[in-house]
Amino acid sequence: MLVSSGKLFILKADPLVLETFDLQKTKEWGRYQPNSPENSHQLTELLLQSDKLRLYEDVGWIQLLHYEKKGEGKFKSEVNSERFFFDPKGRVNPRAELEATIRSFFVTEAIPDSLLHPLCSYPARYNFLKKHLFFEFFDISKVRCDRYKNWKNSLQVNSVSIVFASYYLQSPASYFGHTLLKLNQNANAISQSEILDYGLNYAADAQSINPISYAYFGLTGGYQGKFYLFPYYLKVNEYNDLENRDLWEYEIRLNEEEVDILISHLWELSRAEFHYYFLNKNCSYQLMELLEVAKPNLDLKSKLGIVVSPVDTIKFYLSTKDLISEKKFRPSLYTEIKSKLLEMNAEEKEIFWALTDFSNTRMEVNRLLETPNKIRSDLILDAVLETYRYQKNRGVDFSESAKLSYKQWLNLRSQIKEENLDYKLNFETSFPPESSHPMGRVSLGSGYSNLGSFVEWKYRLAYHDLLNSSKGSTPNGELVFFDGAVRNYEGKRPEFSSLSIMRILSLQPYNSISKQLSYLFDFGWQTTVFTKEKDYFSQVRSIDDSNPYYRKQVSNIDVGVGYTLADEFSKSSPKFGVFSLLAGGKFQSHPSFETGSRFGPNVQGIYQKELGNWKILGSLIAQHYTFSRDLNVGVGSLKLRYLFSDTAEFRLELFSERLYREFNLSFHYLF
């Protein structure tokens, strides 16, 4: 309800009513006509001047309103919230929005308590117009923007950094890695308390993030994207400590004026919402757009492809001359523990594993104290204490005796001065995102099967499979979107043979520290071989009798969960390769099946081993189908990859199942 008090309206309503009232006043102010003849004349002069300068075509204005060119003289803003625009056609008409903005800055009426004067809501637009029109709008309105000034002063931003959070396959929102903006304060840098800085995040406003709904709405723009400001230490705790994600910070070279533009526009974006698409209009895209507002001539968005991955934007920043001034690495808690274990000798590891039982084992304490020349007690205690923190963060409910042991180890560690540390860590196993391979792939191959020889073409939109180099990418994991193949068998027409819409495979090693489960989700189409025998429910199909088999593409869903084992803490890691065992089920659908579909449980084993540029990948699958003529099917494959460079691979693949066998050689180009 709006209660009138003279010329001032007092708002007493819920947030939805407030937003509606805000939208109403915004459009009203966009049509504002001053009562004062002097102000009216000045407004007319400024409108003519802006039109003469064609400010509505200026790259700075186009960036501030997030316009995209849709053809000759046609624009559309990516912002889809109406209250961001003063003109009803402002989303598609930069000229009309510029005129309406200038009009709104002449508003002299009383502003409702819950709202802000346009000059206070849009400080970046104000600075743009003041710079080009050489006019001080505050002389007209006489308003004070205390709320904005207090907010800006509380941030005290001196510089900004792009932060990349590594891939996390346990959460649909984090499959691709993530970028956010860190707002740096000099005072925190000097005091080495940078986690007290603020962070800026762009994310989908998703109430539910189960993989299926998140994938659907994320692909179709069904979520609203918003910017969120928060203390940086909250993200450090979430990413570093809870999700095992390493952080890389890249400081962007911005001058004082550019930092001011970025922060003032960030204030404006509190009124903005966007359609969120996780393949392109995602966190990395929007942060790049925000940086282009601060540096309008940066022009990085024009280099982006159909898919915008966080890691690709990092590569663009680094390839732009003099844009990155400094890089920092913030390892996750698990990376810290792993690095310490890699540093330990055999005896130190033995004590570490004994202490991580967190039982009051006096014998192990004595070994720490009695053999200081052989045992680096600081290294062991640091790893033990971090393991306790890591497991507690992941929900482990420690017993009272374990808590007592933790306090005992903490007391022992406090007696060792930092300057007397006996070890120094390196993080050679943690590769920065810019070292990863390109995400797109095309390949050309040929081979032979019991159905004849063939030539094969493949295309993958994104991102990474197990045979790709893991350097800078998801370790022991696959994240594949739209991976399709077309084959031309000898004497036949080319045919679509497979398409993986989405395949996610996480094979994180299970150990007594992390206890991470492995899982598989695969959805798409694949080729299945049928015999020409008469089935139970229909007549023999009219197929060329020269071959007893025929091929059909069937829809396919495959899921599984299990364990992965690897000698993760060996310096020659993983010394014996990586073994995985998954149990799950498969569902396939096609009219060629007796009942139109088949389904059933399966068990599969996967082995992988990387040796320099070579990698071997083998798998065995035992599949049982219910209500099918082929109740039990065994599938085996063996693949070998040689890496020429980050963009070129050679692969040899062997595949065998009950009715089909093939041998395939292929060359893969990544782009």
Side-chain angles (χ1 to χ4, degrees):
M1 180 176 67
L2 295 175
V3 181
S4 177
S5 176
K7 292 185 178 181
L8 182 66
F9 288 92
I10 302 172
L11 188 65
K12 294 183 177 179
D14 60 39
L16 182 60
V17 174
L18 172 61
E19 190 170 313
T20 303
F21 182 50
D22 188 13
L23 172 62
Q24 171 193 330
K25 297 300 292 183
T26 298
K27 296 299 182 282
E28 179 183 317
W29 290 332
R31 301 186 301 270
Y32 186 77
Q33 182 62 41
N35 295 323
S36 161
E38 181 181 352
N39 288 352
S40 182
H41 174 73
Q42 185 65 66
L43 172 60
T44 302
E45 288 293 319
L46 290 176
L47 292 176
L48 290 172
Q49 185 181 350
S50 68
D51 220 40
K52 183 178 179 180
L53 294 173
R54 303 179 74 87
L55 290 184
Y56 51 86
E57 294 179 346
D58 188 280
V59 64
W61 182 253
I62 298 301
Q63 296 285 14
L64 275 176
L65 276 296
H66 299 262
Y67 287 118
E68 280 190 321
K69 200 163 187 178
K70 297 295 183 180
E72 188 61 34
K74 294 183 179 180
F75 293 88
K76 186 175 183 179
S77 176
E78 295 174 343
V79 178
N80 59 25
S81 43
E82 285 299 317
R83 65 195 188 113
F84 189 73
F85 305 97
F86 288 104
D87 190 273
K89 297 181 179 179
R91 191 181 179 195
V92 296
N93 192 327
R95 185 176 185 177
E97 184 61 21
L98 180 69
E99 178 181 324
T101 300
I102 294 175
R103 287 185 177 278
S104 75
F105 287 174
F106 273 77
V107 167
T108 55
E109 67 181 38
I111 306 298
D113 285 344
S114 300
L115 303 184
L116 295 174
H117 190 280
L119 281 166
C120 303
S121 293
Y122 293 98
R125 294 194 201 184
Y126 155 73
N127 286 325
F128 172 83
L129 291 171
K130 179 183 177 181
K131 177 181 178 181
H132 289 86
L133 299 177
F134 302 100
F135 183 76
E136 181 50 80
F137 293 93
F138 280 97
D139 291 342
I140 300 295
S141 63
K142 308 296 183 183
V143 298
R144 292 169 54 87
C145 300
D146 293 335
R147 198 185 306 178
Y148 165 67
K149 290 176 181 177
N150 291 337
W151 173 83
K152 182 180 177 183
N153 291 336
S154 68
L155 296 178
Q156 297 180 346
V157 181
N158 302 109
S159 64
V160 300
S161 297
I162 287 287
V163 180
F164 178 86
S166 61
Y167 314 92
Y168 183 61
L169 293 183
Q170 304 304 312
S171 168
S174 308
Y175 288 159
F176 320 103
H178 182 60
T179 53
L180 58 138
L181 204 65
K182 181 170 173 283
L183 309 179
N184 306 318
Q185 298 181 15
N186 283 344
N188 289 336
I190 294 171
S191 63
Q192 297 185 334
S193 54
E194 294 175 278
I195 61 171
L196 298 180
D197 291 333
Y198 283 91
L200 175 68
N201 196 32
Y202 175 80
D205 185 15
Q207 301 301 317
S208 172
I209 56 172
N210 70 74
I212 296 176
S213 65
Y214 191 82
Y216 174 76
F217 290 116
L219 283 170
T220 59
Y223 290 127
Q224 292 296 305
K226 300 178 182 179
F227 285 92
Y228 300 90
L229 196 64
F230 51 84
Y232 184 56
Y233 67 82
L234 293 179
K235 284 298 177 185
V236 171
N237 179 64
E238 177 185 348
Y239 292 155
N240 266 176
D241 296 350
L242 298 180
E243 297 184 350
N244 308 339
R245 302 173 72 179
D246 296 326
L247 300 176
W248 282 268
E249 302 172 5
Y250 304 84
E251 186 173 326
I252 306 294
R253 198 184 301 275
L254 299 178
N255 60 37
E256 186 176 345
E257 179 185 359
E258 291 166 342
V259 171
D260 187 70
I261 292 172
L262 187 147
I263 297 304
S264 59
H265 185 55
L266 176 57
W267 174 264
E268 297 178 345
L269 289 176
S270 63
R271 304 167 62 84
E273 293 181 352
F274 304 78
H275 287 301
Y276 185 92
Y277 298 87
F278 66 52
L279 286 182
N280 43 32
K281 302 296 178 66
N282 51 29
C283 59
S284 298
Y285 177 90
Q286 294 296 349
L287 291 181
M288 183 175 282
E289 193 164 73
L290 182 58
L291 289 174
E292 288 190 347
V293 169
K295 296 175 78 75
N297 296 319
L298 193 57
D299 191 29
L300 287 176
K301 281 198 307 178
S302 62
K303 301 177 183 179
L304 299 175
I306 298 174
V307 175
V308 179
S309 71
V311 68
D312 277 350
T313 60
I314 295 297
K315 292 178 180 179
F316 284 135
Y317 295 136
L318 288 166
S319 64
T320 303
K321 185 179 180 182
D322 297 328
L323 183 61
I324 302 297
S325 60
E326 187 179 1
K327 182 173 81 170
K328 296 180 181 178
F329 175 56
R330 190 182 295 275
S332 69
L333 189 55
Y334 187 77
T335 297
E336 290 267 11
I337 298 168
K338 182 176 177 179
S339 298
K340 289 178 174 65
L341 278 163
L342 291 173
E343 175 66 21
M344 292 180 191
N345 58 41
E347 190 173 2
E348 289 168 339
K349 284 183 180 178
E350 182 184 345
I351 298 175
F352 167 81
W353 292 116
L355 292 181
T356 50
D357 284 341
F358 297 105
S359 56
N360 197 355
T361 52
R362 191 67 219 175
M363 181 180 67
E364 303 303 335
V365 176
N366 291 338
R367 290 177 70 183
L368 280 175
L369 298 176
E370 292 173 0
T371 56
N373 294 329
K374 297 180 180 179
I375 302 299
R376 290 171 291 182
S377 56
D378 49 358
L379 173 61
I380 297 172
L381 286 172
D382 282 345
V384 169
L385 294 172
E386 287 170 351
T387 299
Y388 182 93
R389 282 177 49 210
Y390 173 80
Q391 293 181 340
K392 187 173 179 62
N393 288 339
R394 295 183 67 83
V396 174
D397 186 14
F398 287 105
S399 65
E400 290 302 319
S401 62
K403 294 176 183 177
L404 184 63
S405 295
Y406 173 74
K407 292 179 181 179
Q408 184 181 19
W409 312 152
L410 197 62
N411 181 57
L412 281 174
R413 179 60 181 87
S414 67
Q415 298 173 28
I416 304 173
K417 296 181 179 179
E418 292 297 321
E419 57 268 24
N420 295 331
L421 288 180
D422 290 332
Y423 70 92
K424 185 177 181 180
L425 295 180
N426 63 67
F427 299 98
E428 295 178 354
T429 58
S430 298
F431 294 100
E434 63 268 21
S435 64
S436 65
H437 62 77
M439 62 182 178
R441 183 197 68 183
V442 291
S443 74
L444 175 63
S446 65
Y448 181 80
S449 74
N450 59 316
L451 298 181
S453 58
F454 60 86
V455 177
E456 181 177 62
W457 298 269
K458 285 185 176 182
Y459 172 79
R460 182 184 74 203
L461 184 64
Y463 274 77
H464 171 81
D465 64 42
L466 279 180
L467 279 179
N468 287 139
S469 171
S470 60
K471 186 179 177 182
S473 299
T474 310
N476 300 314
E478 282 190 353
L479 182 60
V480 172
F481 278 89
F482 299 101
D483 187 6
V486 173
R487 282 190 176 184
N488 187 187
Y489 282 89
E490 186 177 8
K492 305 290 184 180
R493 291 181 299 176
E495 63 182 49
F496 156 74
S497 58
S498 67
L499 175 63
S500 185
I501 300 294
M502 180 170 64
R503 178 177 171 86
I504 304 168
L505 178 62
S506 177
L507 303 177
Q508 297 304 308
Y510 184 94
N511 56 63
S512 60
I513 297 176
S514 67
K515 299 181 180 179
Q516 199 90 278
L517 290 177
S518 298
Y519 72 91
L520 162 70
F521 175 79
D522 190 5
F523 167 65
W525 285 263
Q526 67 180 44
T527 295
T528 295
V529 178
F530 296 86
T531 63
K532 294 176 182 176
E533 301 170 3
K534 182 178 179 180
D535 63 32
Y536 297 135
F537 299 97
S538 62
Q539 299 298 316
V540 176
R541 293 163 179 77
S542 177
I543 306 293
D544 179 13
D545 291 331
S546 62
N547 196 306
Y549 309 113
Y550 65 98
R551 305 176 300 276
K552 291 293 182 180
Q553 284 69 49
V554 305
S555 59
N556 180 79
I557 298 177
D558 203 355
V559 296
V561 64
Y563 296 94
T564 294
L565 301 176
D567 187 12
E568 194 178 6
F569 306 122
S570 168
K571 289 189 177 181
S572 56
S573 174
K575 187 175 181 180
F576 303 107
V578 180
F579 299 86
S580 303
L581 185 64
L582 305 177
K586 180 189 286 283
F587 172 85
Q588 294 182 328
S589 177
H590 193 272
S592 292
F593 294 125
E594 295 92 323
T595 58
S597 64
R598 64 177 183 176
F599 59 92
N602 61 41
V603 176
Q604 58 181 302
I606 302 172
Y607 172 76
Q608 50 178 317
K609 173 66 176 175
E610 197 158 9
L611 294 166
N613 289 347
W614 294 93
K615 184 169 185 178
I616 185 170
L617 176 65
S619 70
L620 291 173
I621 303 174
Q623 175 75 54
H624 173 79
Y625 289 113
T626 304
F627 306 121
S628 172
R629 182 170 55 213
D630 302 322
L631 292 178
N632 299 300
V633 178
V635 180
S637 69
L638 182 65
K639 302 177 182 180
L640 185 67
R641 176 268 285 164
Y642 180 77
L643 194 67
F644 292 103
S645 68
D646 288 342
T647 59
E649 298 176 357
F650 169 80
R651 297 186 181 186
L652 181 154
E653 303 177 48
L654 303 174
F655 177 85
S656 176
E657 64 174 11
R658 190 175 70 89
L659 300 178
Y660 182 76
R661 289 165 299 283
E662 75 171 36
F663 167 86
N664 189 2
L665 293 172
S666 58
F667 176 79
H668 298 247
Y669 176 72
L670 294 92
F671 61 95

